[in-house]
Amino acid sequence: DVPAEVLEKLDAGYNKLQGASDCKSLLKKFLTKELLDQLKTKKTGMGATLLDVVQTGFENLDSGIGVYSPDADSYTTFEALFNPIIEEYHFGFKPTDKHPPSDFGNPDTLVNLDPTSEFIISTRVRCGRSLKGFQFNPCMTEANYKELEEKVKTVLEQATGELHGIYYPLTGMDKTKQQKLIDLHYLFKEGDRFLQAANACRFWPTGRGIFINLTKTFCVWINEEDHIRIISMQEGGNLKTVYARMLKGLNYLTSKIEFNRSDRLGFLTFCPTNLGTTIRASVHVMLPKLAANKAKLDEVAEKFKLQVRGETGEHSDSSSGVFDISNKRRLGLTEFEALKEMQEGILELIKLEKTL
Ligand code: ADP
Ligand code: CIR
């Protein structure tokens, strides 16, 4: 009982993808005609269809991935599409593989990545969580957004010590202040076309906002791509301190709120690239010699399982010479292993830069 209109859009989108010779998305790579026919009549308990999964990739032919999961069930209902995408992005995590139990490790065993402050401008570690009892963006009502915001905000406003801070809702926020927070890399951007096409920006700015601690080293995003993003950041390369602070915030929130975790996929997120540990540990870094050849930089980064982004985040360029380099995979390894993978890779890149 998937409406004819949806089936038509799926067929049209599939043809559009096939005709787009410069489209490099994993959606295009893995959505075969057979898979389309196998999945197009399926629906999740929430009523989500394959179109809800793929329309972001149909509309944005420059997507890297091209899919989001409209609800937690989609990862199983549409697993025939999600699994190969997950396997390719997370360096070979197979349909028979299971994400390990959490192990956050001991932050004190991590290092300062750039003790002489030559290369690294700042370090950031973030993770995402989805709340039990709430659907993902495309299936949320306006009331759900407000309820989730209220719940998280109330908990955050009771945080003490280093985590003590203020919640700033997007609703009613002065545009200049909003832009300043974006430019300083605290706040998420507005109008992301990949999220918009996935129906993830409905009722914007309702329920969206950012909590920031007084020293501006700890933030929580509410209701952007994921229900919450927990972020720790500061100038310089001290990964140890940044990670320890993120854990402090995560532990606090985990003691007050229940999150969605799947046995196989770990913590559940809206985008399959974030599943598992959900951790992205990054540096803003200047590597002028390595970066003189961007293709080479990407190649070396991939070798160390790292991902290179531009200075203002995903899908941005790096005309400034500053790159955002982070661990790429988040699934199939523990949190501590994700941190170690990033640490080792960044240290290698800096070592290489020094030899050039
Ligand atoms: P994500 O939340 O998935 O990490 P983005 O790539 O969109 O998403 O980045 C969000 C924001 O965080 C952007 O403003 C980006 O520049 C900023 N950011 C990422 N890494 C760092 C870093 N190491 N130092 C400072 N800002 C950072
Ligand atoms: C893309 O496919 O390029 C976008 N949908 C982003 C994919 C990964 N990024 C993310 O989860 N933030």
Side-chain angles (χ1 to χ4, degrees):
D1 55 305
V2 170
E5 190 192 316
V6 170
L7 296 173
E8 278 161 28
K9 281 190 182 165
L10 279 166
D11 288 331
Y14 171 80
N15 291 331
K16 180 180 170 193
L17 270 191
Q18 293 315 304
S21 53
D22 51 357
C23 172
K24 296 187 190 74
S25 70
L26 296 187
L27 171 65
K28 178 178 172 178
K29 178 166 179 181
F30 293 114
L31 185 68
T32 60
K33 186 76 175 69
E34 297 72 58
L35 203 54
L36 174 71
D37 291 336
Q38 176 195 331
L39 297 179
K40 67 184 179 187
T41 52
K42 293 195 187 244
K43 250 184 172 180
T44 67
M46 284 298 295
T49 67
L50 182 64
L51 186 62
D52 297 307
V53 175
V54 302
Q55 60 191 348
T56 184
F58 284 174
E59 283 185 36
N60 297 288
L61 295 173
D62 57 344
S63 293
I65 311 297
V67 297
Y68 288 107
S69 186
D71 55 14
D73 288 350
S74 288
Y75 282 118
T76 34
T77 307
F78 303 108
E79 64 186 358
L81 174 62
F82 277 111
N83 282 347
I85 291 177
I86 287 171
E87 184 170 346
E88 173 134 339
Y89 181 86
H90 296 282
F91 294 92
F93 183 89
K94 300 207 165 39
T96 48
D97 284 342
K98 212 173 132 178
H99 184 68
S102 282
D103 177 4
F104 296 97
N106 179 0
D108 286 339
T109 62
L110 299 173
V111 301
N112 184 332
L113 300 167
D114 184 23
T116 54
S117 307
E118 273 177 86
F119 305 97
I120 296 178
I121 297 157
S122 54
T123 303
R124 174 181 186 263
V125 182
R126 59 85 158 159
C127 71
R129 286 291 183 272
S130 59
L131 273 67
K132 273 218 171 109
F134 287 89
Q135 298 301 324
F136 296 171
N137 271 314
C139 297
M140 285 174 78
T141 64
E142 188 165 12
N144 292 155
Y145 278 108
K146 290 183 181 166
E147 198 189 324
L148 196 153
E149 176 190 40
E150 189 57 34
K151 188 169 172 164
V152 179
K153 164 185 142 75
T154 303
V155 168
L156 285 170
E157 285 177 342
Q158 289 160 17
T160 56
E162 191 183 16
L163 302 181
H164 179 65
I166 297 171
Y167 179 65
Y168 304 93
L170 223 55
T171 303
M173 187 188 291
D174 176 79
K175 278 287 159 195
T176 316
K177 179 181 171 81
Q178 182 183 354
Q179 193 55 49
K180 196 176 153 207
L181 288 174
I182 295 170
D183 293 343
L184 292 172
H185 305 291
Y186 295 112
L187 182 61
F188 46 83
K189 55 186 180 283
E190 189 162 79
D192 180 291
R193 64 192 156 85
F194 302 86
L195 290 177
Q196 280 174 340
N199 275 326
C201 303
R202 287 147 53 252
F203 315 115
W204 192 277
T206 298
R208 277 76 171 192
I210 181 171
F211 174 89
I212 313 180
N213 74 340
L214 298 187
T215 51
K216 297 196 167 65
T217 52
F218 174 73
C219 328
V220 179
W221 292 354
I222 303 184
N223 282 322
E224 192 243 10
E225 178 174 317
D226 285 311
H227 290 161
I228 59 173
R229 286 285 180 87
I230 302 163
I231 302 157
S232 167
M233 57 203 269
Q234 71 185 47
E235 283 173 13
N238 201 336
L239 185 63
K240 180 202 293 221
T241 312
V242 173
Y243 180 54
R245 188 187 305 112
M246 193 211 70
L247 283 187
K248 196 190 264 190
L250 175 62
N251 287 336
Y252 172 68
L253 285 161
T254 303
S255 73
K256 306 273 180 186
I257 298 173
E258 271 197 278
F259 299 126
N260 281 316
R261 193 181 190 284
S262 133
D263 208 32
R264 183 170 94 85
L265 297 173
F267 289 102
L268 292 178
T269 52
F270 186 43
C271 181
T273 64
N274 287 323
L275 291 166
T277 62
T278 74
I279 285 188
R280 193 168 86 86
S282 65
V283 285
H284 270 180
V285 63
M286 296 264 238
L287 301 167
K289 290 174 186 152
L290 258 178
N293 183 345
K294 176 66 168 50
K296 178 75 184 161
L297 175 65
D298 286 334
E299 191 193 307
V300 180
E302 180 81 8
K303 195 178 115 202
F304 293 115
K305 297 193 167 71
L306 299 175
Q307 183 183 58
V308 182
R309 296 183 178 186
E311 193 189 357
T312 58
E314 181 124 57
H315 307 111
S316 69
D317 74 349
S318 257
S319 39
S320 62
V322 176
F323 290 89
D324 165 338
I325 308 186
S326 66
N327 60 303
K328 185 178 176 212
R329 64 173 173 151
R330 317 186 213 292
L331 178 66
L333 74 179
T334 69
E335 288 82 357
F336 193 59
E337 285 166 346
L339 263 291
K340 292 281 274 192
E341 194 154 279
M342 179 272 196
Q343 169 167 293
E344 276 156 35
I346 299 294
L347 291 175
E348 287 296 332
L349 288 190
I350 291 178
K351 204 157 106 189
L352 195 58
E353 175 75 10
K354 284 179 173 169
T355 66
L356 294 174

